[in-house]
Amino acid sequence: MDKKEIYRSKNQILNDAYDRIAAEIHIKKQQKGYKSFLVTGCESGVGSTTVVISLATSMALAGWRTVLIDGDMRKRESDKRLNEDGNKGLSDYLRNEANYKEIVTKTNYESLDYISSGNHSQNTVSLLCSSRMKELLEELKKNYDYVIIEIPAMTSAVD
């Protein structure tokens, strides 16, 4: 299986900032046990995808097993920064059309895996509130140090 190519900025100042955020998150994990985080923007197009990719990459480069999930199941593949390549993903798993191993994709970073949003879906609220979502999160928390989920912008969906 091909690895998903995840990019990292060449701007060292930006990378240092994301590394600092990753360290702060790690401290919160040590203090409070937090392992999973949602990242969103106030509206579409404000850069939340760049933030979530940079953060997940920083965490992986620090040696923490990290999984990055594209939780925006409404957006079409053509509108996504990390094009899906038709892979099965989150929505397929939640609809019971894929298993855990089918949705987790290795990336070019050893400690970073990726789960795409899967095939376009309209009934995202019911999928996200399902017992399958709870099962998936529990499984991911067992296998990873951090679960980073990008969700739709606050003004674009109720998800």
Side-chain angles (χ1 to χ4, degrees), residues 96-158:
N96 211 19
E97 296 171 0
N99 65 44
Y100 179 82
K101 289 183 179 185
E102 289 178 299
I103 65 169
V104 177
T105 302
K106 299 289 181 198
T107 72
N108 52 313
Y109 293 97
E110 187 176 330
S111 295
L112 178 61
D113 290 342
Y114 174 70
I115 298 176
S116 75
S117 62
N119 293 306
H120 186 72
S121 184
Q122 293 297 323
N123 60 341
T124 57
V125 173
S126 64
L127 292 176
L128 291 171
C129 294
S130 70
S131 61
R132 292 271 297 169
M133 183 66 183
K134 183 177 179 180
E135 291 168 14
L136 177 62
L137 288 174
E138 292 304 317
E139 185 68 24
L140 293 171
K141 287 178 186 177
K142 283 189 234 172
N143 294 321
Y144 295 93
D145 298 313
Y146 295 99
V147 179
I148 309 295
I149 308 167
E150 182 182 19
I151 59 173
M154 292 189 293
T155 57
S156 67
V158 296

Side-chain angles (χ1 to χ4, degrees), residues 2-157:
D2 292 331
K3 291 184 177 182
K4 183 75 174 166
E5 188 73 25
I6 303 289
Y7 58 88
R8 180 152 167 98
S9 174
K10 291 179 174 44
N11 183 326
Q12 191 57 47
I13 294 171
L14 273 177
N15 291 337
D16 288 347
Y18 285 111
D19 291 347
R20 181 178 212 145
I21 294 168
E24 290 293 328
I25 288 173
H26 184 68
I27 290 168
K28 291 295 182 195
K29 178 185 175 192
Q30 299 303 315
Q31 293 173 343
K32 307 225 182 222
Y34 300 148
K35 285 188 86 164
S36 58
F37 299 88
L38 297 176
V39 178
T40 188
C42 54
E43 59 188 40
S44 187
V46 296
S48 61
T49 299
T50 298
V51 169
V52 76
I53 290 169
S54 298
L55 179 59
T57 302
S58 286
M59 296 175 109
L61 288 172
W64 300 310
R65 293 273 307 136
T66 305
V67 61
L68 169 59
I69 302 172
D70 179 352
D72 191 349
M73 296 180 284
R74 292 176 189 260
K75 193 182 273 187
R76 293 182 311 246
E77 290 179 26
S78 59
D79 295 332
K80 292 194 175 267
R81 193 118 167 242
L82 291 174
N83 293 333
E84 305 301 308
D85 303 326
N87 290 346
K88 293 198 179 243
L90 180 61
S91 62
D92 304 294
Y93 177 87
L94 296 176
R95 285 194 304 262
N96 211 19
E97 296 171 0
N99 65 44
Y100 179 82
K101 289 183 179 185
E102 289 178 299
I103 65 169
V104 177
T105 302
K106 299 289 181 198
T107 72
N108 52 313
Y109 293 97
E110 187 176 330
S111 295
L112 178 61
D113 290 342
Y114 174 70
I115 298 176
S116 75
S117 62
N119 293 306
H120 186 72
S121 184
Q122 293 297 323
N123 60 341
T124 57
V125 173
S126 64
L127 292 176
L128 291 171
C129 294
S130 70
S131 61
R132 292 271 297 169
M133 183 66 183
K134 183 177 179 180
E135 291 168 14
L136 177 62
L137 288 174
E138 292 304 317
E139 185 68 24
L140 293 171
K141 287 178 186 177
K142 283 189 234 172
N143 294 321
Y144 295 93
D145 298 313
Y146 295 99
V147 179
I148 309 295
I149 308 167
E150 182 182 19
I151 59 173
M154 292 189 293
T155 57
S156 67

